[in-house]
Amino acid sequence: MKRLYSYKRLYFISFLVLAMGCLLAFSAVAAPQVGPAGMAFYEKPSTIPATPGTLIRYRTSTSVPPGGPSCNSWTVMYSSQDALGNPNVVTGTVLVPTAFYSWLIPRPIISYAVGTHGLVQSWAPSIQLANGTEYESSNINAALNRGYAVLITDNPGYTSGDVPSYMVGKAQGKAVLDIVTAALQIPKIALKSTAKVGIWGYSQGGQSAAWAGQLQPTYASGIKLAGVAAGGVPAELFAVGEYLDGNNGSSFLLETCIGLNSQYPAEILLYDRVNASGLDAIDRGLSMGVFEALFAFMNTPLSNFTKYGETSEQIFSIPEIAEVVNAQELGKTKINVPVFLYHGTGDEFIPLEQALNLKEKYCSLGVNTSYMVYPGEHITTQFQAASQVLDWLKDRFAGKIAASTCRTSDPRPVSTANPVDGDFLFSLDGWTLNGTIKLKTLMTKVTLPEGSTFSAETNMTNNTITGDMSIPEFSYYIYAFGLMPLQVKLKIVPAGPMTGTASLDNNGILHINGNVKADIYLKKVGELGVGIPFSLKTKTPVDFPIVFDGPVSSLGDGSLQFTGTTTFPDMVENGIIINALFTSLMSGPGQEFTFTVTPPAPIKW
């Protein structure tokens, strides 16, 4: 009995030692560490945890976009996998609003997949957010203002010292999923593993989001995925590459070649297939942010960089390269949650037709898919869609059944894009114009009527803008000298086209400096106490300065606003007394105006 007792005791002690050893070993690998300040945070660890989604290190940050709500914020490093299943490390940002959300349900989580940022490390989203210069801040803030936690991956390679695997769908999709798992490991974070998760991305981020949706059931089944919103999706790289080559978006094709080679060097053999100009282009591409690269490589065909002048069509037809490109195609695997797809009919970078094909592929697989088309181009649509995306995700978080548009009988949308093989043109065609004019002397604010529109043609290559306003005749009341309110009709008629300059700088800041000149007409409608009719106009046109300096997101998010002051000339054409009266009431400097321009509404398809 004593020997048996000794054996049991020895066995128990051995078990405890083994268990403690395993626990200590697990803790040594799995316990996340507080990371260092500065760029040292991004240094790759000597060993990478084998389990995807393991939080390696974290630190608190001040990465909430300007104008966003109060949030707890962290920069994180976590383990993930590349497209071939090899472990890698990825960094990102975790933002959790401090405002109370709900006693009843966990705060929902949005894994936000960014669009193209260029390939240089300084443009990684976590660095851009920390600097307050992230060009997608408008969308991130829109989600934060709904009370959702927002997680933003930097994507593979951007901050680890490797070359970014740009447009490698599986690697990007895994990074989008793994940041959710990693964020839940931040000590004392106010997020729950039972929280519903939405995935949202546009352009490159649309590809990432759709891939994440396809991968989730087998790769990250523990995530409570509720819906996937993907816009401007490059679903078929063959079609996208052909559309970009030698055109306005040539930089994206160059970056795609670099990114695919990063993941598949034996198949792409990039450095063996380029000439001296190609080697220089690769080095330059790796040192640029998205907007700098856009203009640096605009309208440059891939054949300028290939060893024997091969075109993109010839390069993509090489069997091993074709296999890699084909592997990025979306729509071959079912997504098990509702999907919201959207695209701009004027998209000058990602062709509309291949995006419509993606909807049909998902519908044929039985995916609950809804689709919306927007009247703008690529950048406009990215930010205009935010409110519809977030409304749609709100319903998914609430458990509502999504309405599919798979069986629509509406006509197939067609592209309205400007020509993409010359100057970079950006069109505002009949955009909604809301505004007010504050008359200084009368201290009256005149609101522009419904149906007012603003149109402009912007040439981003030569930095010019032309356009006009259309404002229907409308009535308003003025009060003066203690008399009865006088109802007058006012008409603002352009006195020539808008002219000026427009540019987009390397930091994604839009600069507009133009002028719209308009004649203002007045005529009597109501009573003045004396029955004298009148009809007046300004002696010379009013000059409205159209000036804006702000983020490119303003084109779609409703913040494209022109404010300023102008001078109203004397009123003429109705005799000395009436002219003098209304000149004293309405003319002179210091007339304030605010014009806000927003894109037309989208439609379902």
Side-chain angles (χ1 to χ4, degrees), residues 69-101:
S70 174
C71 289
N72 292 313
S73 174
W74 297 268
T75 306
V76 297
M77 176 183 283
Y78 59 97
S79 63
S80 188
Q81 285 184 356
D82 68 10
L84 305 178
N86 301 311
N88 60 12
V89 293
V90 185
T91 55
T93 303
V94 175
L95 302 172
V96 182
T98 58
F100 175 74
Y101 185 77

Side-chain angles (χ1 to χ4, degrees), residues 266-306:
E267 291 80 9
I268 303 298
L269 291 172
L270 180 64
Y271 289 90
D272 292 338
R273 301 187 193 276
V274 298
N275 55 26
S277 295
L279 291 172
D280 178 67
I282 292 169
D283 288 341
R284 292 170 63 204
L286 287 168
S287 68
M288 292 180 178
V290 56
F291 300 108
E292 183 180 6
L294 172 65
F295 291 104
F297 296 104
M298 185 178 293
N299 301 331
T300 306
L302 193 66
S303 59
N304 281 18
F305 304 137
T306 53

